Amino acid sequence: MNKLSYLMALLFCCVMTSHVLAQQSMIKPNVIIILTDDQGYADVGFNGCRDIPTPNIDRIANNGVRFSRAYVTYSVCGPSRAGIMTGRYQDRFGFGRNPLLAPNDTMQGLPLTEQTMAEMLQQSGYTSMALGKWHLGAHKSQYPLKRGFNEFFGFLEGGHSYFPQEWIINDVSEVKKQYDGYRTKLMRNNGRVEEGEYITDALSREAVSFIQRKANEPFFIYLAYNAPHGPLQATEKYLKRFDHITDKKRKTYAAMVSAVDDGVGLLLNKLDELQLTDNTMVFFLSDNGGPEHHNASDNGVLREGKSSLYEGGIHVPFAMQWPGKIPSGMVYDKPVISLDIFATAAHYAGATAKNELDGVNIIPYVKGEKKELPHDYLCWRKFDTNDYAIVNGDNKVVKYRTDKDAFYNLKDDIGETTRLPLTEKYQAAKVKYEEWQDEMKNPVFLGLMQDKEYTRLNPNRFIMVNPYKPDSLEASEPEHYELVWADEFDEDGKPNEKYWSYEKGFVRNNELQWYQPDNAKVKEGLLIIEGKREKVKNTFYEKGSNNWRKNRKYAAYTSACIKTVDKFSFQYGIMEVRARIDTSMGMWPAIWTLGVHKPWPANGEVDQMEYYRHNGEAKILANAAWASQRGRAKWDSEKIPLSEFVNKQPDWERRFHVWKMHWTEDFIRLYLDDELLNEIDLSQTINADGSNPFHQAQYILLNLAIGARGGDPSQTIFPRKYEVDYVRVFQKKISDK
């Protein structure tokens, strides 16, 4: 090789190396937050714990950095988690109390003005999963999937029992008091699931599964264990590890921490197995200090514990690993705070936060690129007791359960045992606190300490519709609308003949069922349309007929179709139907309307709900049809795979759902549980003769067809049930027209 060729080759290698390094620098790191609940500062090996081995949690510190002066933003669960999730002091948005379990209250949780870490990372292409304790709102608008997470496995409440046999409450709709939430079934996404494992093991399992499934894309995991928060419950597998601990409470606590440590080990091992470790930030911390007397935790030399503004309440075990990006085995001794996690993740994900953050990217400080303090001042406030704390480097001002301020030097006196004179540094800290407090907002909701007062002011706190049972509440009228017609199906017997008539025989679509009135009944607040496998004689039978309705001597199945033709019709308004559909093979339930004039399809058809198999796949349909130039049906149709709904709500088929049609002169919008499925522009729905079928009144049909597009029912076990809770029609108030 001549000299020129050698130089060209060397240049090429340099360019390629630079390109590879540039590509590597563009790879977005995965982010994992492992958060424990009420764990003591001294209850991890990396902080000197001797009686509870935590080898896997210690791996995080050994692979990276242990923060010896790490804080959270509050000394109890909910507000601390709100700070972590938003990267902002929770008092900025009025989250200064521990939220209650109040599933009807949109205020009892993280306000929609705040961006979560999941929402922020979503901008950069991250897929996110929340696991375990949420405690950021129990109203459906505040569920994790509404706050940027793609998946959720856990519970909404502030705590939970650990043993599956205690999870006997199906849903928050069955909760009657605050701590009933501990006994609800676990949630997967927006639905409830049957779970058989000890809760800590189940959370670890699901976290590992998520990593396995999302290994080829950037991901964010918020793994919020409820251990070792009470109730103190552990399985024999973990208890037998601690026979050397004689104190029963401490033994159970140790077992719970050990279960978490096992889970952390499984997670770290999976990262290693998939070669993801070097590209994953892993943070470990507790949400507040340990409540030593309640769960036998140990905060070591730190004063007091959970709820306190002394170090034992807000100074937590905190470690981080990111191999190759930060040093390993180091100790960082300047004050950091949980708010820094959000800011650090945002920086390396290349995402921009919606709101101004209170945290900082801590990597340059850990690496020594920045020598100053990450935060000049850190502040805490307990609004209801007018208590506060301020940390400035080694100095701390604290007022807690007293009328007097105390001033400490934490470098010399981390246990806060010796008060110092109130010097100029104290005065400067107080000034900074007053400036900070002026930026904060008073709590926007009553919290856990005001449980009784909240219930007194909100007597309907737990009154809500049970998703698995008929709705017994009064109809809620949409704004500017009034109820003009309804059947609540509250009187047992046959459907009300003032409202409904029946189709009979073989009717449409080459379906298998014979429609008959006997298959429709009202019982316990529901219209039940029953599909049966039974042989019935075709009373319209004609031997040799070319008409499929007449050439079948017998029907092998029966069902019912009821309709309001000649009894009730309406033009424009909102129609709501709450129903539970049968998704078995062969079933074709529907909620639909037809125009009162002209033959089909010129009369116009609206399928508020159809369920059948399209190209072999089970789908929910939302359609409208009218007549084309050739007199055939022209469709505006949306077909959504049933799997999309079941993935979000695993018990979807056990639940009642609300299908809604909003119909005006200009459009028809079709919704399922307030999710818009289809919008039909009525300027486009013109029949061949120039008429618009959707500018005339329509009547209502409810039916359960069998066969045809429902699929082959031959292997399905009968009878099957299609249950309708109510049909309600609202129209604009005269004053609003």
Side-chain angles (χ1 to χ4, degrees):
M1 181 182 294
N2 60 36
K3 186 175 182 180
L4 179 60
S5 298
Y6 174 77
L7 290 174
M8 290 296 291
L10 183 61
L11 178 62
F12 177 78
C13 290
C14 291
V15 170
M16 290 303 296
T17 300
S18 298
H19 176 72
V20 170
L21 290 173
Q23 288 291 103
Q24 289 176 342
S25 68
M26 292 171 62
I27 297 174
K28 297 181 175 68
N30 306 311
V31 180
I32 299 176
I33 299 173
I34 303 169
L35 184 66
T36 55
D37 197 343
D38 288 4
Q39 186 171 4
Y41 177 80
D43 288 326
V44 288
F46 67 73
N47 280 343
C49 185
R50 295 181 180 277
D51 60 344
I52 309 175
T54 56
N56 295 301
I57 294 172
D58 297 343
R59 281 167 64 184
I60 299 172
N62 295 335
N63 290 338
V65 57
R66 172 173 73 87
F67 297 95
S68 63
R69 291 281 310 285
Y71 293 98
V72 287
T73 60
Y74 207 79
S75 56
V76 299
C77 313
S80 173
R81 291 159 190 269
I84 293 170
M85 191 56 64
T86 63
R88 287 158 53 82
Y89 282 112
Q90 63 280 348
D91 285 285
R92 289 197 184 280
F93 43 90
F95 206 121
R97 292 179 176 135
N98 224 2
L100 290 159
L101 176 58
N104 286 320
D105 192 343
T106 59
M107 297 296 291
Q108 280 278 346
L110 197 64
L112 299 181
T113 56
E114 297 306 306
Q115 182 187 51
T116 70
M117 195 180 306
E119 289 168 331
M120 179 270 294
L121 291 172
Q122 201 174 56
Q123 299 173 359
S124 290
Y126 280 69
T127 302
S128 301
M129 184 175 193
L131 299 110
K133 176 173 169 175
W134 181 238
H135 208 196
L136 296 174
H139 188 272
K140 63 182 180 180
S141 67
Q142 297 163 334
Y143 285 5
L145 266 60
K146 292 286 189 178
R147 305 312 306 265
F149 287 95
N150 303 93
E151 298 185 29
F152 173 54
F153 181 81
F155 54 93
L156 303 171
E157 304 80 7
H160 211 274
S161 296
Y162 291 78
F163 296 139
Q165 61 268 28
E166 297 185 12
W167 307 336
I168 59 175
I169 296 177
N170 287 305
D171 183 77
V172 288
S173 61
E174 298 177 6
V175 164
K176 303 301 180 188
K177 54 185 183 296
Q178 173 68 29
Y179 291 102
D180 281 354
Y182 281 56
R183 297 182 293 124
T184 55
K185 295 184 187 300
L186 296 187
M187 293 182 69
R188 184 181 297 281
N189 297 331
N190 292 331
R192 301 283 169 170
V193 292
E194 298 293 334
E195 174 57 56
E197 277 200 273
Y198 179 63
I199 196 169
T200 304
D201 294 344
L203 297 176
S204 301
R205 178 198 72 215
E206 293 295 324
V208 170
S209 171
F210 184 79
I211 293 172
Q212 181 74 52
R213 291 183 284 111
K214 304 299 179 180
N216 295 321
E217 55 189 292
F219 60 76
F220 166 45
I221 294 176
Y222 175 63
L223 176 52
Y225 288 108
N226 54 318
H229 188 289
L232 293 176
Q233 296 175 328
T235 62
E236 187 59 31
K237 170 185 175 181
Y238 299 112
L239 285 168
K240 66 184 181 182
R241 297 177 181 178
F242 298 97
D243 288 339
H244 60 282
I245 298 179
T246 56
D247 179 83
K248 183 178 180 181
K249 187 183 285 189
R250 179 69 176 176
K251 177 179 179 179
T252 306
Y253 173 87
M256 296 167 75
V257 171
S258 191
V260 170
D261 189 73
D262 276 14
V264 173
L266 292 173
L267 184 149
L268 296 178
N269 291 344
K270 180 57 68 172
L271 293 176
D272 287 345
E273 175 192 327
L274 299 175
Q275 299 182 354
L276 297 174
T277 300
D278 290 353
N279 193 46
T280 304
M281 297 182 191
V282 181
F283 299 88
F284 173 88
L285 72 162
S286 176
D287 64 347
N288 47 251
E292 295 177 322
H293 299 297
H294 292 285
N295 69 352
S297 53
D298 181 8
N299 295 315
V301 298
L302 304 184
R303 181 173 175 179
E304 297 193 14
K306 179 178 181 177
S307 189
S308 170
L309 292 182
Y310 292 111
E311 291 292 287
I314 55 178
H315 186 160
V316 297
F318 191 179
M320 174 193 179
Q321 74 170 46
W322 193 11
K325 308 298 190 300
I326 62 174
S328 61
M330 76 168 290
V331 177
Y332 187 78
D333 60 5
K334 293 183 175 67
V336 298
I337 195 164
S338 55
L339 301 170
D340 298 333
I341 298 174
F342 190 117
T344 303
H347 179 85
Y348 292 99
T352 302
K354 167 187 170 183
N355 297 317
E356 184 177 353
L357 300 180
D358 291 310
V360 300
N361 172 18
I362 53 175
I363 302 300
Y365 297 94
V366 169
K367 295 172 69 174
E369 296 168 358
K370 292 187 176 182
K371 307 294 185 182
E372 66 271 23
L373 292 171
H375 302 273
D376 290 335
Y377 290 89
L378 296 172
C379 298
W380 292 263
R381 179 180 77 164
K382 299 197 77 171
F383 177 84
D384 291 318
T385 56
N386 192 31
D387 290 328
Y388 48 81
I390 314 106
V391 165
N392 166 233
D394 294 331
N395 300 310
K396 180 177 180 181
V397 176
V398 59
K399 186 188 87 68
Y400 181 66
R401 292 183 176 176
T402 179
D403 293 331
K404 296 181 179 179
D405 291 349
F407 187 50
Y408 299 100
N409 183 289
L410 298 177
K411 182 177 181 181
D412 299 330
D413 182 21
I414 194 65
E416 296 168 289
T417 60
T418 305
R419 291 176 175 232
L420 299 176
L422 303 183
T423 63
E424 291 182 2
K425 291 182 178 179
Y426 157 78
Q427 297 294 344
K430 283 298 295 289
V431 169
K432 287 294 183 181
Y433 175 77
E434 294 298 332
E435 293 174 355
W436 174 85
Q437 183 173 238
D438 287 343
E439 298 176 5
M440 300 300 114
K441 187 176 182 180
N442 292 348
V444 297
F445 55 78
L446 294 175
L448 190 59
M449 302 307 293
Q450 297 88 27
D451 185 15
K452 290 182 180 179
E453 175 69 4
Y454 181 85
T455 301
R456 184 185 68 80
L457 294 172
N458 299 274
N460 296 329
R461 172 181 176 181
F462 295 116
I463 297 176
M464 59 189 304
V465 178
N466 188 315
Y468 312 104
K469 295 180 180 179
D471 178 2
S472 59
L473 304 181
E474 289 188 11
S476 177
E477 294 181 328
E479 189 174 4
H480 305 303
Y481 284 78
E482 61 186 348
L483 186 67
V484 297
W485 184 92
D487 195 342
E488 303 290 334
F489 303 111
D490 287 338
E491 295 185 12
D492 288 3
K494 298 300 295 179
N496 194 328
E497 64 181 12
K498 292 192 305 182
Y499 298 158
W500 306 99
S501 59
Y502 302 89
E503 291 190 337
K504 296 180 182 179
F506 293 125
V507 180
R508 62 182 68 84
N509 298 324
N510 252 308
E511 297 156 359
L512 302 179
Q513 80 289 335
W514 178 267
Y515 281 138
Q516 58 186 24
D518 289 350
N519 291 57
K521 63 181 179 182
V522 176
K523 184 177 180 181
E524 297 178 350
L526 297 174
L527 165 69
I528 301 172
I529 297 178
E530 197 167 38
K532 298 180 180 179
R533 180 181 284 128
E534 59 180 347
K535 186 177 180 180
V536 296
K537 186 176 180 179
N538 181 356
T539 55
F540 304 106
Y541 173 70
E542 291 181 9
K543 185 177 181 179
S545 173
N546 291 325
N547 186 331
W548 69 272
R549 298 175 179 85
K550 298 179 179 180
N551 61 20
R552 304 178 189 181
K553 193 171 185 178
Y554 296 97
Y557 302 89
T558 61
S559 186
C561 174
I562 65 172
K563 55 187 180 180
T564 65
V565 64
D566 298 328
K567 295 176 182 284
F568 171 75
S569 61
F570 70 104
Q571 183 176 356
Y572 310 137
I574 294 173
M575 179 171 125
E576 289 184 355
V577 181
R578 186 172 188 258
R580 176 162 54 195
I581 68 173
D582 193 318
T583 60
S584 303
M585 178 62 76
M587 301 303 107
W588 186 355
I591 302 164
W592 51 307
T593 64
L594 287 172
V596 296
H597 300 299
K598 298 191 176 185
W600 188 88
N603 60 343
E605 173 183 335
V606 179
D607 298 319
Q608 194 162 324
M609 182 276 292
E610 279 193 282
Y611 165 80
Y612 64 68
R613 280 161 174 77
H614 178 259
N615 295 329
E617 184 178 10
K619 294 185 178 179
I620 299 289
L621 287 81
N623 313 317
W626 59 98
S628 69
Q629 292 296 327
R630 297 183 179 181
R632 296 177 181 175
K634 186 172 183 179
W635 293 91
D636 184 325
S637 179
E638 289 293 333
K639 304 176 179 67
I640 302 98
L642 177 65
S643 59
E644 290 191 15
F645 301 101
V646 174
N647 287 341
K648 292 179 183 177
Q649 205 167 54
D651 57 347
W652 192 94
E653 291 153 294
R654 290 183 54 223
R655 293 173 174 251
F656 284 90
H657 302 276
V658 177
W659 279 270
K660 181 171 72 175
M661 172 173 67
H662 184 195
W663 175 21
T664 72
E665 190 174 356
D666 301 314
F667 61 79
I668 293 174
R669 293 175 180 151
L670 302 175
Y671 298 84
L672 169 51
D673 294 332
D674 293 326
E675 178 183 347
L676 180 64
L677 302 186
N678 193 8
E679 179 170 348
I680 297 104
D681 180 354
L682 298 191
S683 68
Q684 304 300 311
T685 59
I686 309 301
N687 287 328
D689 63 4
S691 65
N692 194 321
F694 303 115
H695 289 170
Q696 65 165 322
Q698 299 231 327
Y699 65 90
I700 304 165
L701 302 94
L702 305 170
N703 70 286
L704 175 61
I706 300 172
R709 293 190 182 182
D712 179 7
S714 61
Q715 302 303 309
T716 298
I717 298 173
F718 282 81
R720 311 308 310 176
K721 289 193 300 184
Y722 170 29
E723 300 165 299
V724 181
D725 183 18
Y726 58 71
V727 181
R728 297 170 180 167
V729 177
F730 306 88
Q731 289 187 313
K732 277 198 171 182
K733 295 177 182 178
I734 294 175
S735 59
D736 292 324
K737 288 184 179 178

